[in-house]
Amino acid sequence: MPAPAGRSIVPKAIRFELRLALRHLRVGGRQTLLTVSVVAAGVIIVIFMSALVFGLRQKLTADLTEAIPHITVQVEEVKPLPLAHIPGAATGASSSRIEQQASQQKYLDNWSQAADIVRRLPSVRTVAPAVREQGFASKGRHTVGVSVVGIEPALQDEVAPVSKYLFTGHYLGLSSEEIVIEGQLADELQVGLGERIRLTAKTDAHATFTIIGIYNTNQGRSEAYVTRRMAQSLFGLGTSVTVIFVKVRDLFEADHVAQHLTALLPYEARSWSREFPGFRASLRGRSAIVYLISAFSLISSSFAIASVLVVSVLQKSPQIGILKSMGARRRQILWVFIFEGLGVAIVGSVLGAVLGTALVYFLTFIRQPVTQMGQVSEQLFPVAVLPGYIALAMLAAITSTVIAAVLPARRAARLNPVEVMR
Amino acid sequence: MRDEMHSANGHVATEALDASVSLPPIVVETQGLKKTYGGKIAVPVLRGIDLQIRAGTFVAIVGQSGSGKSTLLHMLGALDMPTAGRVLINGVDLATLEEDELALLRSEEIGFIFQFHHLLDELTCLENALMPITIRHGTETEEQRARVIRLLQRVGLEPHLHKRPDEMSGGQSQRCALVRALANAPKIVLADEPTGNLDSRSGQEVFALMREVNRASGVAFVMITHDDRLAQAADRIFLVENGVLQEVEKK
C-alpha cells in the first residue's frame, strides 16, 4: 500500500481489497505464475484451434470459390419416371419394355438472352457461356474419352481457372487450331507440347489441334479446352452453347441464386453444393469441434484455477481470520479473492492472446514442400487470426476464472475467524 | 424563589459532583455469559460470567489452559457468539447487531492482539499497522498515517517501517501488532497472551508499552496471560476456573 491517501482511479470502497489481492498475487510468486499459465494455456488452445480450423475453412472455401463454377445453367435432363410415380397410371401396371429415350434438345439456343438475365442479378460475379460435350481424343493408336470444353479463355479463367494450373505452355490467347489439355490426358495419349491430337465427336466429326498448354489441377478431371467457336462447329451446335457457368459473390448464397435462376430461366440451374453435398456439413462439423474443444479447455482451466484458489483460501485462512478481527466485512473478503482471480484471469488471458497469436503467426511461415514441378508452395497450415474470436476467448477465460474464484471466495468470506486462527 | 433556585442549583451541583466522583464509564460488560460447545455431548466451557470493565482499566485474565479464557476474550470481541447471556460493548448488546454492524464495531471500538503477531506477510510494518484504517476507509488520511507513524516511533519501530514481518524479530512484530490494535483509536484492546510467544525481555517490553498506552490514552485492556508478574502489574486480575470468573486480590 504505497500511496497514502493519494488520488487513485480505484474507488475508495474497494481500494484495500484490490491492493491486498494484488499483493497476494505478487507475493504468491510461483503459484501465481502457475495459475496465470493455466489460464494462458486455455486461451492459447482456443486461439490455436480456432485459427487452424477456421483457417482451413477459409482456405477450402477460397479454393472452392476459385476452382469451380458456383452454378451451372443447362437444359434439364429428362429422366424416365417409374410407373408408380405417374399420377393416373393404373395401379399394379408394370412395364417390361424400356422405351427408347426421346431425343432431347441438349443445347441452349437463346443463350445470350439467358446470359443477360443471369448477369443482371446483383449477386452474380461472372457469367461464362461454354460448350461442354463428350468426345474422344486420339494420337496414333491411343484413344481416350475426354470432356471437351469450348470457351473464351479469359472469361473462363474467372469461373474455373486453368492459367493458374498450367505447368507448361499457355492458355490465354488460345486460337482455333489450338488445344490445352489436362496432364493426365497428356500422359495417357503420350503427347507433349507442340504435338497434334485429334478430337472426334459422337457424330464422327473430327478436327486436329496443336497442344499449346498442359495444366494440372490435381482434381483428375480429364478436360480439354478449345475455343468456343471450334467446339460449336465440331459438335454441330451452330451458334448455341450447352452450358452457362456462373460465379456468384458469396459461395454460400449459390443455392439461393440457383433456385432463383431456375425460376427465371427455362433451364435448370444447379448449385455447386449439389455436386459436393458433404462440403458444407464437414465445415459445420469442424466448427462444432472448435467450439467443443474451446469449451472443454476453458472448463478445465477454470477447474484448475478453482483448485488453486481453494488451496490459496486454505493457506490464507488465518489471514482471513485476522482481517475479520480487524473489522473486515464478508463482502470485503469476498472481493479480495475475486480480485485475485480477476488478476490471474486478465494477465493470463492477455498473455494467452499474445502467445497464441504469435504461435499462429509463426505457423504461417511453415510452407508445404513442393512435390511437383510448377506447384506454388502453399502454407502447410492455413490459419485465420480472428480478432473477434480472440476477444471472445479472452472474455470467456476471464468469466470462467472469476466464476471459479467466487466459490472458494465465498467459503473464505464465511470462515469463522476464531476457528481459523487457532 | 431564591430557595428554589438554590435547590435547583444544588441539585445540578450534586449531579455534577456525582459524575466526577463516580467511576469512568463501563466499556465492556457481560451478563450471565455462557458458552457450551456442541456436538453429541455438550461441553460447557463458561457457566455464567458477569463482568464489568471500565474505560482505562487494565485487566489481566489468568487461568489454566483450556479454562475458557480465550473463548471469553473472543466473545468480548464479537468473534464468537455466546450460548446464553449478553455482551455489551459501550452499552450496545452484540446480539442485536448484524454481521456487518459487528464488523464495524470491531473496527471502531475494539483492537486485537494475539499470541502470534498475525501480521500479514504481504504487507510492510507500516501497512500492517494501518490495516484497520484501510479496511474501514479504503485508504488512510495524512493525519491517520502521521498518527500511526508516531505510534510506531513510540514503540521503537521507526527503523523498520518498511520492513516485512519476516524481516522483523518477534518482539518487533508484536509491537507492530500493538500499534495495529490501536490504529483506529479503539475503546478497548483485547490481548490473548500477547507475550506468550516472546522471550521474557521482549515480553516485558511489549507489556510495558501496553501499560504505557493504557495510562496515556485511557484505552481499556483485557489481557490473557500465564505470567504472574505481568498479571500483578495489571489494575485488576480475574481467574477463570471451572467455567466461572472470580476476581483475585493483587499481592
Side-chain angles (χ1 to χ4, degrees):
Chain A
M1 290 176 224
R7 272 166 291 279
S8 162
I9 52 158
V10 182
K12 257 188 176 182
I14 54 159
R15 217 175 282 178
F16 170 75
E17 293 85 326
L18 187 60
R19 279 181 192 170
L20 187 57
L22 293 179
R23 206 58 76 85
H24 278 170
L25 291 177
R26 225 169 68 193
V27 174
R30 221 178 288 173
Q31 193 175 316
T32 304
L33 215 63
L34 186 76
T35 332
V36 167
S37 342
V38 171
V39 178
V43 174
I44 289 174
I45 290 172
V46 172
I47 290 174
F48 186 71
M49 289 304 303
S50 64
L52 274 185
V53 173
F54 291 126
L56 192 62
R57 179 199 166 109
Q58 275 184 4
K59 176 158 189 337
L60 287 176
T61 310
D63 283 359
L64 197 64
T65 308
E66 226 194 337
I68 60 165
H70 297 162
I71 297 170
T72 54
V73 178
Q74 54 200 19
V75 176
E76 194 173 353
E77 258 179 66
V78 181
K79 289 183 187 133
L81 275 179
L83 271 177
H85 290 187
I86 299 169
T91 46
S94 67
S95 168
S96 58
R97 279 179 59 197
I98 298 166
E99 296 279 346
Q100 172 107 35
Q101 206 174 314
S103 72
Q104 291 170 40
Q105 184 183 312
K106 285 279 183 64
Y107 50 86
L108 320 176
D109 40 13
N110 53 347
W111 60 269
S112 68
Q113 214 181 334
D116 278 345
I117 292 172
V118 179
R119 219 172 269 127
R120 246 176 268 140
L121 290 185
S123 46
V124 167
R125 206 168 69 196
T126 312
V127 176
V131 171
R132 189 168 60 182
E133 281 287 351
Q134 299 303 313
F136 296 98
S138 50
K139 171 75 179 177
R141 279 180 294 131
H142 303 284
T143 300
V144 177
V146 65
S147 171
V148 179
V149 189
I151 41 73
E152 291 170 33
L155 197 56
Q156 187 67 14
D157 244 4
E158 288 178 38
V159 178
V162 169
S163 293
K164 214 183 127 192
Y165 300 109
L166 275 180
F167 62 83
T168 177
H170 65 278
Y171 171 65
L172 294 177
L174 186 74
S175 74
S176 56
E177 301 289 310
E178 295 170 341
I179 190 166
V180 172
I181 62 171
E182 212 268 330
Q184 204 182 327
L185 182 63
D187 280 349
E188 284 169 22
L189 292 175
Q190 294 178 10
V191 291
L193 209 60
E195 291 187 60
R196 294 169 67 81
I197 59 169
R198 171 193 290 237
L199 290 185
T200 310
K202 273 182 279 186
T203 54
D204 267 351
H206 55 80
T208 46
F209 298 87
T210 308
I211 299 168
I212 61 152
I214 299 175
Y215 71 95
N216 192 350
T217 56
N218 287 325
Q219 284 168 3
R221 37 167 219 218
S222 198
E223 284 182 336
Y225 286 91
V226 296
T227 59
R228 191 164 74 211
R229 187 73 221 104
M230 232 13 238
Q232 281 168 338
S233 75
L234 182 64
F235 294 102
L237 295 172
T239 56
S240 299
V241 299
T242 61
V243 60
I244 299 173
F245 293 122
V246 180
K247 204 86 166 177
V248 291
R249 291 181 202 283
D250 179 2
L251 183 67
F252 295 101
E253 277 295 298
D255 283 3
H256 205 70
V257 178
Q259 266 175 27
H260 191 47
L261 286 179
T262 304
L264 280 178
L265 302 170
Y267 308 118
E268 186 191 22
R270 290 168 73 107
S271 160
W272 64 273
S273 68
R274 291 198 20 208
E275 323 279 339
F276 302 93
F279 182 75
R280 205 183 276 240
S282 89
L283 284 187
R284 217 173 279 144
R286 284 200 180 88
S287 306
I289 288 170
V290 175
Y291 297 134
L292 267 180
I293 292 176
S294 304
F296 277 119
S297 71
L298 286 175
I299 287 170
S300 61
S301 75
S302 50
F303 270 118
I305 291 148
S307 67
V308 170
L309 283 171
V310 166
V311 171
S312 164
V313 166
L314 281 178
Q315 281 175 343
K316 297 205 177 80
S317 296
Q319 191 181 98
I320 293 161
I322 299 160
L323 290 172
K324 281 199 158 181
S325 71
M326 299 291 140
R329 279 161 293 165
R330 249 185 211 191
R331 218 188 33 186
Q332 291 183 290
I333 311 277
L334 189 68
W335 277 114
V336 169
F337 287 92
I338 288 178
F339 281 139
E340 219 175 295
L342 203 60
V344 165
I346 291 172
V347 176
S349 62
V350 169
L351 197 72
V354 170
L355 290 179
T357 310
L359 183 67
V360 167
Y361 181 70
F362 283 122
L363 275 187
T364 61
F365 288 113
I366 304 175
R367 297 264 151 193
Q368 246 168 7
V370 176
T371 51
Q372 270 177 322
M373 193 176 64
Q375 187 185 349
V376 183
S377 169
E378 289 186 34
Q379 273 174 233
L380 183 58
F381 303 105
V383 291
V385 177
L386 308 168
Y389 204 81
I390 292 174
L392 205 67
M394 290 171 70
L395 195 71
I398 291 171
T399 314
S400 63
T401 308
V402 170
I403 291 170
V406 166
L407 293 171
R410 281 167 60 113
R411 220 178 84 171
R414 267 200 296 260
L415 284 175
N416 180 348
V418 177
E419 299 288 328
V420 292
M421 276 190 302
R422 267 194 193 125
Chain B
M1 178 116 162
R2 187 175 283 258
D3 279 351
E4 269 181 37
M5 278 270 284
H6 183 74
S7 73
N9 279 346
H11 185 68
V12 171
T14 323
E15 250 191 10
L17 191 67
D18 279 354
S20 66
V21 166
S22 71
L23 296 162
I26 295 167
V27 285
V28 180
E29 183 173 1
T30 68
Q31 298 171 350
L33 197 64
K34 288 183 185 168
K35 181 71 179 182
T36 303
Y37 283 111
K40 279 184 181 160
I41 305 157
V43 183
V45 180
L46 299 175
R47 298 163 187 271
I49 288 184
D50 297 291
L51 173 69
Q52 289 186 341
I53 298 170
R54 292 179 183 276
T57 319
F58 199 112
V59 173
I61 295 181
V62 296
Q64 295 284 311
S65 292
S67 59
K69 306 185 296 292
S70 292
T71 304
L72 173 61
L73 200 75
H74 291 149
M75 288 194 292
L76 296 184
L79 290 178
D80 205 350
M81 287 297 138
T83 314
R86 301 203 298 167
V87 177
L88 297 101
I89 303 283
N90 258 351
V92 177
D93 185 351
L94 296 189
T96 64
L97 299 181
E98 300 293 322
E99 176 148 337
D100 277 5
E101 292 171 319
L102 285 175
L104 189 67
L105 175 116
R106 279 198 288 267
S107 148
E108 291 188 335
E109 314 274 8
I110 304 170
F112 283 96
I113 307 174
F114 305 98
Q115 181 176 358
F116 303 96
H117 57 75
H118 282 324
L119 298 176
L120 266 53
D121 291 334
E122 292 88 347
L123 307 180
T124 64
C125 171
L126 176 59
E127 289 167 345
N128 265 297
L130 282 167
M131 201 170 70
I133 297 168
T134 44
I135 286 178
R136 176 88 179 81
H137 304 287
T139 184
E140 73 280 3
T141 62
E142 282 299 337
E143 229 176 282
Q144 288 166 322
R145 186 183 172 89
R147 201 180 129 257
V148 168
I149 290 177
R150 266 201 315 277
L151 282 170
L152 286 168
Q153 285 167 342
R154 208 159 100 199
V155 301
L157 287 178
E158 195 174 11
H160 309 293
L161 291 184
H162 302 293
K163 283 188 182 167
R164 295 265 177 83
D166 53 12
E167 302 166 309
M168 289 156 57
S169 73
Q172 288 166 348
S173 296
Q174 199 58 302
R175 280 181 273 155
C176 180
L178 168 62
V179 174
R180 181 179 63 179
L182 298 167
N184 263 339
K187 302 273 189 315
I188 178 164
V189 171
L190 303 173
D192 192 349
E193 290 190 59
T195 62
N197 201 37
L198 300 176
D199 60 73
S200 71
R201 206 180 62 109
S202 304
Q204 278 292 342
E205 271 175 24
V206 169
F207 176 75
L209 284 165
M210 286 167 66
R211 202 70 173 99
E212 188 190 319
V213 168
N214 162 251
R215 291 206 167 106
S217 60
V219 182
F221 273 73
V222 180
M223 177 184 76
I224 293 175
T225 184
H226 283 122
D227 187 331
D228 193 50
R229 281 181 310 152
L230 299 187
Q232 291 302 327
D235 295 327
R236 299 170 75 185
I237 307 171
F238 289 95
L239 171 69
V240 181
E241 203 172 32
N242 299 324
V244 290
L245 187 76
Q246 59 186 114
E247 184 150 12
V248 182
E249 286 300 310
K250 286 178 39 167
K251 287 172 198 159

